[in-house]
Amino acid sequence: MSESATSDVRGMTVESAFAGMRSVTPVVFRAGCPDCRGCFELAAGALRLAIGATSRTTFYSFTCPECGASVRKPAGERIVELLTGGGVRTLRLHSTV
């Protein structure tokens, strides 16, 4: 990094760094309930992701906002990438072996 770029960063305030930003759109995920067949959007905070040692033990879960059912669905690599990138809380499952 050049000397002038370094001095510019050190002199930057939080206000000036975020001056051009207006607002951040929250991430929402589309989901469906296998029990009531409802389709809806959920915020990242409504989902949980569990990453296990295999594809069989990697899943995401949520509570259906329409019928209250607990829903658990498998999560492949792409789903894991989208959920973690969108701020969904993640639990890493460890083997007991």
Side-chain angles (χ1 to χ4, degrees):
M1 190 185 272
S2 71
E3 188 174 318
S4 62
T6 303
S7 62
D8 289 343
V9 172
R10 287 185 191 145
M12 183 178 291
T13 64
V14 172
E15 291 80 19
S16 64
F18 292 99
M21 297 181 80
R22 296 183 185 173
S23 66
V24 177
T25 305
V27 176
V28 292
F29 298 94
R30 294 185 71 178
C33 177
D35 288 353
C36 72
R37 303 280 184 216
C39 292
F40 37 82
E41 292 183 341
L42 296 170
L47 295 155
R48 298 292 174 266
L49 174 64
I51 300 176
T54 68
S55 60
R56 294 184 82 174
T57 58
T58 300
F59 60 91
Y60 65 99
S61 62
F62 59 91
T63 300
C64 176
E66 294 184 13
C67 72
S70 294
V71 179
R72 178 176 161 166
K73 294 188 174 187
E77 287 182 32
R78 180 68 178 140
I79 297 295
V80 169
E81 182 181 319
L82 291 170
L83 294 177
T84 55
V88 172
R89 260 193 278 175
T90 303
L91 172 66
R92 297 206 180 266
L93 305 175
H94 299 282
S95 70
T96 58
V97 180

